[in-house]
Amino acid sequence: APDSLSAKDQSSNLYREIEKFDLWVTIRAAPADGLGFGQPFLRPIPLPDISSFEFHQYLPHNSLLWIWIKTGFFGFVAMLYILARTIAQGTSRFRKLPTGTDAVVALGAVRFVVMYSVFLYVEIAWEPRNVVLLALSMGLCTGPLRRDRDESAETARVDESRAKRARPLAAVGGRP
């Protein structure tokens, strides 16, 4: 119900719509290689003054398109690939884990990466605190937990010791 929004909310939405148009114009100006970091995005339609935010010319609300503006098409595709691959690996990992703490942690990590991917589209998201949590979640989605490696190593040692004990018995006709 857009008519029920307050004047403040309507002006915020208008700002973001103008900003999104300006971002697409900027992308069309340099689609392949982007503008690079340290360059402000183009503003064919002037935005309302928010100069109280120091980086208002450099950091748009749409952090997903910001990557395209700064790194170009291939950087944008690389970021999308990394996010999609992380979600796919995390989901696969979650499905293979037995229920328990590890499964809950894997599911939480996948859900955070999905949530962050959506958040990138609507807000300034590349802040250190957020990126650290994203990196942690991506690591949980794609890398084995330490406990997984310890358990698999322990299982291999137990299997190896059982095999050593079974060999002498098998040589003399006994049962392992």
Side-chain angles (χ1 to χ4, degrees):
D3 298 334
S4 67
L5 295 175
S6 69
K8 183 179 178 183
D9 287 338
Q10 288 177 354
S11 69
S12 176
N13 287 346
L14 178 62
Y15 183 94
R16 289 171 191 251
E17 290 298 319
I18 294 171
E19 186 180 62
K20 187 169 37 172
F21 176 80
D22 290 348
L23 295 177
W24 280 112
V25 168
T26 305
I27 287 170
R28 288 187 186 113
D33 56 354
L35 292 179
F37 293 94
Q39 303 297 321
F41 61 91
L42 304 177
R43 295 175 182 229
I45 299 177
L47 290 164
D49 182 32
I50 58 165
S51 57
S52 59
F53 175 53
E54 185 177 359
F55 299 112
H56 70 280
Q57 295 179 330
Y58 304 96
L59 292 174
H61 285 89
N62 189 329
S63 294
L64 199 62
L65 293 181
W66 179 78
I67 293 293
W68 193 337
I69 288 170
K70 298 304 175 185
T71 64
F73 176 75
F74 297 108
F76 178 72
V77 169
M79 183 201 57
L80 289 180
Y81 173 78
I82 290 169
L83 290 172
R85 185 73 176 143
T86 299
I87 292 167
Q89 282 186 313
T91 302
S92 174
R93 178 184 182 159
F94 167 72
R95 293 179 66 186
K96 290 177 184 175
L97 287 172
T99 58
T101 307
D102 291 345
V104 171
V105 169
L107 179 63
V110 170
R111 292 180 73 180
F112 184 82
V113 174
V114 170
M115 182 274 312
Y116 198 83
S117 300
V118 172
F119 184 64
L120 284 171
Y121 186 70
V122 296
E123 196 56 62
I124 300 170
W126 299 115
E127 297 174 347
R129 179 177 36 201
N130 296 336
V131 174
V132 166
L133 290 174
L134 177 65
L136 177 65
S137 295
M138 291 175 94
L140 288 171
C141 286
T142 59
L145 291 175
R146 179 76 180 145
R147 191 169 32 182
D148 289 346
R149 283 185 271 164
D150 289 345
E151 288 173 1
S152 64
E154 182 63 30
T155 302
R157 276 186 293 226
V158 168
D159 290 344
E160 185 178 314
S161 67
R162 285 182 186 163
K164 285 180 183 176
R165 283 183 285 169
R167 277 187 214 126
L169 292 174
V172 293
R175 288 187 298 180

PDB file of all heavy atoms in Angstrom, residues 7 24 35 48-49 61 66 83 113 119 135 161 166:
ATOM      1  N   ALA A   7       5.651  10.362   4.686  1.00  0.00           N
ATOM      2  CA  ALA A   7       6.408  11.200   3.752  1.00  0.00           C
ATOM      3  C   ALA A   7       7.892  10.839   3.791  1.00  0.00           C
ATOM      4  O   ALA A   7       8.575  10.838   2.757  1.00  0.00           O
ATOM      5  CB  ALA A   7       6.208  12.673   4.098  1.00  0.00           C
ATOM      6  N   TRP A  24      22.290   2.317 -13.092  1.00  0.00           N
ATOM      7  CA  TRP A  24      22.196   1.675 -14.404  1.00  0.00           C
ATOM      8  C   TRP A  24      22.842   2.533 -15.486  1.00  0.00           C
ATOM      9  O   TRP A  24      23.469   2.005 -16.408  1.00  0.00           O
ATOM     10  CB  TRP A  24      20.755   1.334 -14.751  1.00  0.00           C
ATOM     11  CG  TRP A  24      20.318   0.077 -14.070  1.00  0.00           C
ATOM     12  CD1 TRP A  24      19.397  -0.046 -13.077  1.00  0.00           C
ATOM     13  CD2 TRP A  24      20.820  -1.241 -14.313  1.00  0.00           C
ATOM     14  NE1 TRP A  24      19.294  -1.363 -12.685  1.00  0.00           N
ATOM     15  CE2 TRP A  24      20.154  -2.120 -13.435  1.00  0.00           C
ATOM     16  CE3 TRP A  24      21.765  -1.777 -15.185  1.00  0.00           C
ATOM     17  CZ2 TRP A  24      20.392  -3.489 -13.402  1.00  0.00           C
ATOM     18  CZ3 TRP A  24      22.004  -3.151 -15.151  1.00  0.00           C
ATOM     19  CH2 TRP A  24      21.322  -3.978 -14.268  1.00  0.00           C
ATOM     20  N   LEU A  35      34.044   1.347 -13.390  1.00  0.00           N
ATOM     21  CA  LEU A  35      34.721   2.621 -13.136  1.00  0.00           C
ATOM     22  C   LEU A  35      35.983   2.447 -12.312  1.00  0.00           C
ATOM     23  O   LEU A  35      36.875   3.265 -12.367  1.00  0.00           O
ATOM     24  CB  LEU A  35      33.795   3.579 -12.374  1.00  0.00           C
ATOM     25  CG  LEU A  35      32.573   4.114 -13.101  1.00  0.00           C
ATOM     26  CD1 LEU A  35      31.787   5.009 -12.169  1.00  0.00           C
ATOM     27  CD2 LEU A  35      32.974   4.859 -14.345  1.00  0.00           C
ATOM     28  N   PRO A  48      18.869  13.842  -3.800  1.00  0.00           N
ATOM     29  CA  PRO A  48      18.767  14.760  -2.660  1.00  0.00           C
ATOM     30  C   PRO A  48      20.076  14.781  -1.873  1.00  0.00           C
ATOM     31  O   PRO A  48      20.823  13.805  -1.848  1.00  0.00           O
ATOM     32  CB  PRO A  48      17.633  14.173  -1.821  1.00  0.00           C
ATOM     33  CG  PRO A  48      16.824  13.374  -2.788  1.00  0.00           C
ATOM     34  CD  PRO A  48      17.793  12.860  -3.804  1.00  0.00           C
ATOM     35  N   ASP A  49      20.343  15.897  -1.229  1.00  0.00           N
ATOM     36  CA  ASP A  49      21.609  16.074  -0.505  1.00  0.00           C
ATOM     37  C   ASP A  49      21.616  15.242   0.774  1.00  0.00           C
ATOM     38  O   ASP A  49      20.796  15.448   1.667  1.00  0.00           O
ATOM     39  CB  ASP A  49      21.804  17.551  -0.167  1.00  0.00           C
ATOM     40  CG  ASP A  49      23.120  17.809   0.542  1.00  0.00           C
ATOM     41  OD1 ASP A  49      24.093  17.076   0.247  1.00  0.00           O
ATOM     42  OD2 ASP A  49      23.184  18.724   1.378  1.00  0.00           O
ATOM     43  N   HIS A  61      23.049   2.471  -2.213  1.00  0.00           N
ATOM     44  CA  HIS A  61      22.339   1.505  -1.382  1.00  0.00           C
ATOM     45  C   HIS A  61      22.371   0.105  -1.995  1.00  0.00           C
ATOM     46  O   HIS A  61      22.396  -0.876  -1.276  1.00  0.00           O
ATOM     47  CB  HIS A  61      20.880   1.944  -1.180  1.00  0.00           C
ATOM     48  CG  HIS A  61      20.757   3.073  -0.217  1.00  0.00           C
ATOM     49  ND1 HIS A  61      20.816   4.387  -0.608  1.00  0.00           N
ATOM     50  CD2 HIS A  61      20.595   3.071   1.116  1.00  0.00           C
ATOM     51  CE1 HIS A  61      20.694   5.157   0.454  1.00  0.00           C
ATOM     52  NE2 HIS A  61      20.552   4.387   1.521  1.00  0.00           N
ATOM     53  N   TRP A  66      26.735  -2.111  -7.108  1.00  0.00           N
ATOM     54  CA  TRP A  66      27.982  -1.404  -6.791  1.00  0.00           C
ATOM     55  C   TRP A  66      29.191  -2.229  -7.230  1.00  0.00           C
ATOM     56  O   TRP A  66      30.161  -1.686  -7.749  1.00  0.00           O
ATOM     57  CB  TRP A  66      28.044  -1.103  -5.297  1.00  0.00           C
ATOM     58  CG  TRP A  66      29.270  -0.402  -4.852  1.00  0.00           C
ATOM     59  CD1 TRP A  66      29.554   0.928  -4.976  1.00  0.00           C
ATOM     60  CD2 TRP A  66      30.388  -0.981  -4.187  1.00  0.00           C
ATOM     61  NE1 TRP A  66      30.780   1.207  -4.428  1.00  0.00           N
ATOM     62  CE2 TRP A  66      31.316   0.038  -3.933  1.00  0.00           C
ATOM     63  CE3 TRP A  66      30.702  -2.268  -3.769  1.00  0.00           C
ATOM     64  CZ2 TRP A  66      32.524  -0.180  -3.284  1.00  0.00           C
ATOM     65  CZ3 TRP A  66      31.909  -2.479  -3.126  1.00  0.00           C
ATOM     66  CH2 TRP A  66      32.800  -1.440  -2.906  1.00  0.00           C
ATOM     67  N   LEU A  83      28.879 -16.516  -4.636  1.00  0.00           N
ATOM     68  CA  LEU A  83      27.717 -16.615  -3.755  1.00  0.00           C
ATOM     69  C   LEU A  83      26.878 -17.853  -4.086  1.00  0.00           C
ATOM     70  O   LEU A  83      26.495 -18.605  -3.184  1.00  0.00           O
ATOM     71  CB  LEU A  83      26.862 -15.349  -3.852  1.00  0.00           C
ATOM     72  CG  LEU A  83      27.470 -14.089  -3.252  1.00  0.00           C
ATOM     73  CD1 LEU A  83      26.615 -12.872  -3.598  1.00  0.00           C
ATOM     74  CD2 LEU A  83      27.633 -14.213  -1.754  1.00  0.00           C
ATOM     75  N   VAL A 113      24.141 -16.692   4.166  1.00  0.00           N
ATOM     76  CA  VAL A 113      24.644 -16.304   2.841  1.00  0.00           C
ATOM     77  C   VAL A 113      23.479 -15.909   1.935  1.00  0.00           C
ATOM     78  O   VAL A 113      23.566 -14.917   1.199  1.00  0.00           O
ATOM     79  CB  VAL A 113      25.499 -17.427   2.213  1.00  0.00           C
ATOM     80  CG1 VAL A 113      25.897 -17.091   0.792  1.00  0.00           C
ATOM     81  CG2 VAL A 113      26.744 -17.681   3.063  1.00  0.00           C
ATOM     82  N   PHE A 119      20.175  -8.959   0.988  1.00  0.00           N
ATOM     83  CA  PHE A 119      20.495  -7.687   1.638  1.00  0.00           C
ATOM     84  C   PHE A 119      21.374  -6.812   0.747  1.00  0.00           C
ATOM     85  O   PHE A 119      21.247  -5.587   0.745  1.00  0.00           O
ATOM     86  CB  PHE A 119      21.180  -7.975   2.977  1.00  0.00           C
ATOM     87  CG  PHE A 119      21.495  -6.781   3.803  1.00  0.00           C
ATOM     88  CD1 PHE A 119      20.497  -5.963   4.307  1.00  0.00           C
ATOM     89  CD2 PHE A 119      22.822  -6.468   4.114  1.00  0.00           C
ATOM     90  CE1 PHE A 119      20.790  -4.861   5.097  1.00  0.00           C
ATOM     91  CE2 PHE A 119      23.127  -5.372   4.894  1.00  0.00           C
ATOM     92  CZ  PHE A 119      22.107  -4.565   5.388  1.00  0.00           C
ATOM     93  N   ALA A 135      32.131 -14.019   5.534  1.00  0.00           N
ATOM     94  CA  ALA A 135      33.286 -14.900   5.324  1.00  0.00           C
ATOM     95  C   ALA A 135      33.207 -16.130   6.230  1.00  0.00           C
ATOM     96  O   ALA A 135      33.492 -17.256   5.798  1.00  0.00           O
ATOM     97  CB  ALA A 135      34.578 -14.136   5.579  1.00  0.00           C
ATOM     98  N   SER A 161      43.615 -50.225  12.827  1.00  0.00           N
ATOM     99  CA  SER A 161      44.012 -51.113  13.925  1.00  0.00           C
ATOM    100  C   SER A 161      43.195 -52.400  13.904  1.00  0.00           C
ATOM    101  O   SER A 161      43.715 -53.475  14.206  1.00  0.00           O
ATOM    102  CB  SER A 161      43.868 -50.397  15.270  1.00  0.00           C
ATOM    103  OG  SER A 161      42.510 -50.141  15.551  1.00  0.00           O
ATOM    104  N   ALA A 166      43.145 -58.266  12.634  1.00  0.00           N
ATOM    105  CA  ALA A 166      42.427 -59.326  11.910  1.00  0.00           C
ATOM    106  C   ALA A 166      43.371 -60.132  11.033  1.00  0.00           C
ATOM    107  O   ALA A 166      43.135 -61.321  10.803  1.00  0.00           O
ATOM    108  CB  ALA A 166      41.330 -58.724  11.059  1.00  0.00           C
TER     109      ALA A 166
END
